[in-house]
Amino acid sequence: DSVELHILHQVDTLPSNYLKGNKGNGISGLIISDDIISVGSSAFASMINLEEVHLSEAFTNIPVSLFDDCENLKTVNIHDRIMSIGSYAFRGCALEEAIIPDSVTDLGVYMFAGCSSLKKVKLPVTCKNVTSYMFSACSSLESIELPKMVTTIQEGAFNNCDALTDITWSPKITTIGNNAFSNCDGMVSIEFPDTIISMGSSVLAGCTALKEIMLPTPITSIPSYMFDGCTALENYQIPEQITSIGSYAFRNCDALTV
């Protein structure tokens, strides 16, 4: 049967891989005493029965891969003393919402990648970069509101977000990385704001429902593979400011007339 584990104050630091994998099987809940001030990377990774965690109020850092591949983890109290969240921290979890407090100033890559149940996200007001693959394959995520300080969406940040249709842009957004929205199968239209001055390759590749696009005015070149595999794209008028088109920009756009 599943059990709840109370981790008390015999120690103040838990080592890396503390309960990783088979060592943690059968544990459905963790309550970590406030006397514990830190924990090593992957300490609770791959605990397949883990559903709920109460973090120590003394924690200021959620380290790399702390809950990576905890496929049934639904609830974690990310409290307002946390200042950093490491890469892969919640990858592949069952979280339905991710409310990141404004105290967090350092966000890793792949943080919520593969969280297929994730529907609600709040990023901290201090966030300037949506890091690489942060929400990759979050297939239930329908909307995202970018905080006002965000300037960059890094590579693959929202790729394979099948339900994503609604983006509230930051007024300071300037840069969209490679594959940022690739394979977002539910996206029918997207309008990029004119604050954007740089776009990578394959930004919308594989968006099979995409029919309407408005590129930002400062963009004078359509990047390589930009619309590769956008099979629903039927009509596209190349904006007047475009002076060059990258390789395979419209490859596999079978319905397209330009």
Side-chain angles (χ1 to χ4, degrees):
D1 293 339
S2 295
V3 297
E4 185 176 86
L5 179 65
H6 292 243
I7 302 177
L8 302 175
H9 61 274
Q10 288 89 348
V11 294
D12 63 7
T13 301
L14 302 178
S16 297
N17 304 314
Y18 180 63
L19 291 172
K20 183 178 180 180
N22 292 334
K23 290 180 287 187
N25 283 354
I27 298 172
S28 63
L30 287 175
I31 298 176
I32 303 172
S33 163
D34 291 349
D35 295 294
I36 295 173
I37 60 174
S38 66
V39 60
S41 61
S42 303
F44 309 119
S46 303
M47 293 178 65
I48 60 174
N49 293 311
L50 188 62
E51 297 179 1
E52 184 173 0
V53 174
H54 181 85
L55 294 175
S56 165
E57 292 291 330
F59 279 12
T60 59
N61 170 51
I62 295 176
V64 171
S65 299
L66 185 61
F67 300 108
D68 188 9
D69 198 32
C70 290
E71 59 188 49
N72 288 299
L73 180 60
K74 296 179 180 178
T75 305
V76 181
N77 64 317
I78 306 176
H79 55 71
D80 60 9
R81 294 185 182 181
I82 300 291
M83 294 186 290
S84 65
I85 302 177
S87 299
Y88 309 96
F90 298 100
R91 181 175 62 172
C93 292
L95 300 173
E96 294 185 2
E97 67 174 27
I99 309 301
I100 305 174
D102 293 340
S103 57
V104 177
T105 57
D106 187 11
L107 301 170
V109 301
Y110 288 89
M111 274 176 44
F112 297 103
C115 292
S116 58
S117 298
L118 190 64
K119 295 179 180 179
K120 182 180 180 181
V121 169
K122 179 188 176 296
L123 293 170
V125 296
T126 53
C127 179
K128 295 182 179 180
N129 300 310
V130 182
T131 57
S132 296
Y133 299 95
M134 182 185 280
F135 299 107
S136 175
C138 291
S139 54
S140 297
L141 186 64
E142 297 180 359
S143 64
I144 185 73
E145 182 175 351
L146 300 176
K148 293 181 180 180
M149 296 295 289
V150 170
T151 62
T152 303
I153 297 176
Q154 295 182 356
E155 180 174 356
F158 296 101
N159 83 330
N160 291 296
C161 288
D162 295 340
L164 183 63
T165 58
D166 184 18
I167 304 163
T168 302
W169 298 99
S170 158
K172 294 187 177 183
I173 190 76
T174 62
T175 305
I176 308 292
N178 299 340
N179 296 291
F181 298 100
S182 62
N183 299 308
C184 290
D185 291 341
M187 188 176 290
V188 176
S189 65
I190 186 167
E191 181 177 347
F192 293 101
D194 284 343
T195 54
I196 293 171
I197 59 174
S198 176
M199 300 185 79
S201 64
S202 305
V203 168
L204 296 167
C207 293
T208 55
L210 191 66
K211 293 184 177 181
E212 297 179 13
I213 314 104
M214 185 169 291
L215 292 177
T217 302
I219 297 298
T220 59
S221 176
I222 296 177
S224 299
Y225 299 95
M226 180 72 171
F227 305 112
D228 183 15
C230 293
T231 53
L233 189 61
E234 296 179 355
N235 299 292
Y236 183 67
Q237 184 173 352
I238 297 174
E240 292 182 0
Q241 79 268 18
I242 297 298
T243 59
S244 64
I245 298 175
S247 301
Y248 307 108
F250 294 96
R251 186 177 67 168
N252 297 317
C253 293
D254 299 333
L256 180 64
T257 56
V258 180

